[in-house]
Amino acid sequence: MTRNMVMRILLALVITGAFAQTNTSAAGDAQTELVRASGSSPFANCSIQLLSDFGEINDLNAEVEPWVVVNPQDSDNLVGVWQQDRFTFGGARGLVTGFSRDGGETWRRTFPHFSRCASGNPQNGGDYERASDPWVTFSPGGTAFQIALSFDQIAFPYKQAILVSRSGNGGKTWTEPVALIRDTDPNIGDDKESITADPVHLGFVYAVWDRLDFNSPNGFQGPIWFTRTTNEGATWEPARIIYNPGFNASTIANQIAVLPNGDLVDLFVRFNVSDAVVAVIRSHDKGWTWSAPIIIDSVQSIGVVDSKTGEPLRTGDVIPNIAVDRDGGTLYVIWQDARFSGGLRDGVVLSKSTNGGSTWSAPVQVNQAPNVQAFTAAVDVAEHGKIGVTYYDFRKDNNDPNVLLTNYWQVTSRDGGASWKEIPLAGPFDMRTAPIARGFFVGDYQGLGHAGAKFLPFYVATNSGNLVNRTDVFAAVRGEDGDKGGNDREEVNANPMPLRQRVESHREKRRH
């Protein structure tokens, strides 16, 4: 067998997902066991339309933007979701679901009917060209709820919807989607939805998103829209506005956390022409009424670039994340911010509230190599108040402008964030082989779940140098200490992108 034949077989095995399902992080970074959750695209034979006049492509077998949850009825049952086959200018051919029944050691894949490539049924609202922004949650009764933003990019008349599907068997099969809202007005844009099942009150599930409206002569508006089910998804209340920031202002990245006493806390970024802040609103009656905004702090992100070439990455720079300690009720919020470098580079900062979100601590930096850019962080709280944060950084990059070596890390704290322990999860891998979506792109967010005291990072890494299978979704099922050292790099972002431009990048779905 010739060398070329061997390489062709190995490449085919990687693309189909038949290659060994576990590996360890590269370059001696240690012995964290990774399991690939994604596989070959189930939508490869789907006919698609591209904005080819604008240079758009579709990256077959490129997975991005994962999220993961653990079944409270069975900690071995995990459900993860991601975008499958990313488009340059927004969305994917469909959303794929991975489910595991052995704590993440092995994964099987399926998909709800959120898009046309996923055999969407027009009778049930799934006949859309693209799907995006996957999110999933488990109710305390063991029902999984998955939400999507589904939309047309090219078809006329235009349509979009926030869709929800349920699974009563641990993610194996999913109901036909139900539309929480539908729009056909091209001047309306729904965006960045999330869904949270109430762990305190069985049957209550909450969905939230922002909705841009450009129909007024006084300027655009981007209020928070909300709906809920009180009967485990049998019916949903009509969607409604719960906070309006006014004209020429908007929100993004809404995510609801539920406190141990049942109160709801919705996290979001509010921005206008002059500034951006991380804020929350609260509800004491399961979402029926909501407080005025409580400001956590400003967002001082400058974006992330390849400092060697100036090329941008699209990261979670306006997508914060929230988690709650279900034992003590402390809330933790993380976001991307450049304040601790004097505005030279983004890092990951954390703030906490011990009184239900009424007041918040001053931010502290948690990424452990502060001389390089760190980005797209996730936070979760496991048993006994153990905090976990995951993020990417460039501490092991080199001076070669043809690669952008990236690592993925996890830090944990057992003392409320006063001190942190770090372990490597993956890398280095070449971020320059990621799909392009107004920058190198592996997702606006990544997943992080837990079972007991064990965290489950669920994230995207590139398959360095493989342009046929650019990315995969991995679960880090076991983590150990390893090589955390860098190479004394110090990065400066000499090409910061204005915040409004980066928000527009996140909202690229309807730009053409």
Side-chain angles (χ1 to χ4, degrees):
M1 186 178 292
T2 68
R3 177 185 174 92
N4 284 342
M5 291 176 67
V6 171
M7 294 305 295
R8 288 175 64 185
I9 290 172
L10 289 175
L11 178 59
L13 288 171
V14 169
I15 293 171
T16 60
F19 199 71
Q21 201 166 12
T22 63
N23 56 25
T24 56
S25 54
D29 264 358
Q31 326 319 331
T32 296
E33 185 175 3
L34 308 181
V35 176
R36 185 169 53 229
S38 57
S40 57
S41 174
F43 310 135
N45 296 322
C46 177
S47 177
I48 59 171
Q49 288 184 290
L50 294 169
L51 292 165
S52 53
D53 290 346
F54 295 90
E56 184 177 43
I57 65 172
N58 179 256
D59 284 303
L60 184 67
N61 293 310
E63 297 86 6
V64 299
E65 204 159 79
W67 195 251
V68 70
V69 287
V70 180
N71 189 341
Q73 295 288 321
D74 177 5
S75 61
D76 285 333
N77 178 204
L78 316 176
V79 174
V81 294
W82 58 85
Q83 292 187 45
Q84 181 69 54
D85 307 339
R86 173 72 191 192
F87 290 93
T88 306
F89 294 146
R93 293 192 188 201
L95 306 185
V96 167
T97 303
F99 64 97
S100 173
R101 298 192 183 279
D102 55 13
E105 298 285 349
T106 60
W107 294 80
R108 298 173 65 189
R109 291 169 290 277
T110 184
F111 47 86
H113 296 166
F114 287 144
S115 65
R116 197 169 298 158
C117 284
S119 301
N121 184 343
Q123 300 298 319
N124 292 289
D127 185 29
Y128 294 86
E129 292 175 343
R130 308 184 184 192
S132 188
D133 296 349
W135 206 271
V136 64
T137 188
F138 261 114
S139 78
T143 300
F145 294 81
Q146 187 174 166
I147 196 168
L149 169 60
S150 297
F151 60 96
D152 289 340
Q153 185 79 307
I154 299 173
F156 182 83
Y158 172 79
K159 62 183 185 297
Q160 64 177 315
I162 304 292
L163 303 178
V164 169
S165 180
R166 292 181 293 167
S167 174
N169 54 13
K172 181 178 180 181
T173 60
W174 295 83
T175 62
E176 289 297 336
V178 173
L180 304 184
I181 195 168
R182 283 193 182 97
D183 283 297
T184 58
D185 184 345
N187 293 316
I188 296 290
D190 300 299
D191 191 30
K192 194 54 218 73
E193 82 297 338
S194 66
I195 191 165
T196 304
D198 194 320
V200 179
H201 303 102
L202 181 63
F204 283 77
V205 184
Y206 313 105
V208 66
W209 62 93
D210 68 90
R211 188 169 185 262
L212 291 166
D213 186 341
F214 292 93
N215 282 304
S216 173
N218 297 318
F220 75 91
Q221 294 186 81
I224 301 171
W225 281 66
F226 168 88
T227 183
R228 67 179 186 178
T229 175
T230 62
N231 52 17
E232 201 81 346
T235 59
W236 289 82
E237 295 176 355
R240 57 189 172 87
I241 294 173
I242 58 172
Y243 168 63
N244 191 341
F247 286 108
N248 297 316
S250 182
T251 69
I252 195 171
N254 286 272
Q255 182 188 348
I256 289 176
V258 184
L259 293 169
N261 67 359
D263 286 355
L264 310 185
V265 179
D266 178 46
L267 170 74
F268 57 95
V269 168
R270 184 187 70 193
F271 73 95
N272 54 35
V273 294
S274 61
D275 66 0
V277 297
V278 187
V280 296
I281 54 176
R282 301 186 300 161
S283 175
H284 301 301
D285 50 15
K286 307 182 187 65
W288 188 250
T289 61
W290 293 84
S291 73
I294 299 166
I295 306 302
I296 299 175
D297 213 302
S298 60
V299 178
Q300 298 180 31
S301 164
I302 62 171
V304 176
V305 300
D306 180 343
S307 63
K308 296 170 292 187
T309 67
E311 294 169 281
L313 282 74
R314 175 173 161 180
T315 68
D317 44 16
V318 292
I319 310 293
N321 193 207
I322 189 169
V324 59
D325 178 358
R326 300 225 56 79
D327 295 326
T330 299
L331 288 161
Y332 297 92
V333 167
I334 53 97
W335 69 94
Q336 226 165 282
D337 202 287
R339 72 184 64 202
F340 290 103
S341 67
L344 297 179
R345 69 191 72 87
D346 273 5
V348 177
V349 302
L350 176 142
S351 177
K352 69 179 183 179
S353 173
T354 58
N355 55 13
S358 294
T359 59
W360 293 83
S361 67
V364 296
Q365 187 167 17
V366 300
N367 55 297
Q368 300 297 293
N371 288 336
V372 298
Q373 299 167 95
F375 55 95
T376 312
V379 65
D380 194 19
V381 185
E383 280 186 351
H384 311 302
K386 181 181 177 184
I387 313 164
V389 176
T390 54
Y391 57 89
Y392 299 93
D393 79 10
F394 297 139
R395 74 182 71 174
K396 300 211 171 188
D397 195 17
N398 58 34
N399 293 324
D400 183 353
N402 297 307
V403 298
L404 181 55
L405 299 181
T406 308
N407 284 69
Y408 199 63
W409 308 91
Q410 174 182 300
V411 292
T412 57
S413 175
R414 296 180 180 272
D415 54 13
S419 62
W420 298 89
K421 176 184 177 181
E422 183 181 54
I423 60 171
L425 295 177
F429 52 85
D430 184 8
M431 187 63 78
R432 292 185 65 86
T433 59
I436 301 296
R438 312 242 187 252
F440 303 117
F441 182 64
V442 291
D444 292 339
Y445 51 85
Q446 305 291 310
L448 180 61
H450 74 275
K454 173 186 172 183
F455 288 109
L456 179 78
F458 195 72
Y459 58 94
V460 169
T462 68
N463 296 309
S464 301
N466 186 343
L467 300 184
V468 180
N469 182 24
R470 290 179 179 271
T471 54
D472 271 306
V473 178
F474 292 91
V477 295
R478 279 182 290 278
E480 302 176 9
D481 283 334
D483 178 14
K484 297 185 285 291
N487 52 17
D488 299 321
R489 287 179 56 80
E490 183 169 359
E491 295 182 321
V492 175
N493 180 354
N495 298 283
M497 186 184 299
L499 179 63
R500 180 170 293 278
Q501 184 178 346
R502 286 183 280 128
V503 171
E504 288 302 312
S505 173
H506 285 271
R507 287 172 164 158
E508 66 188 6
K509 304 174 187 68
R510 289 157 296 277
R511 296 197 59 172
H512 294 284

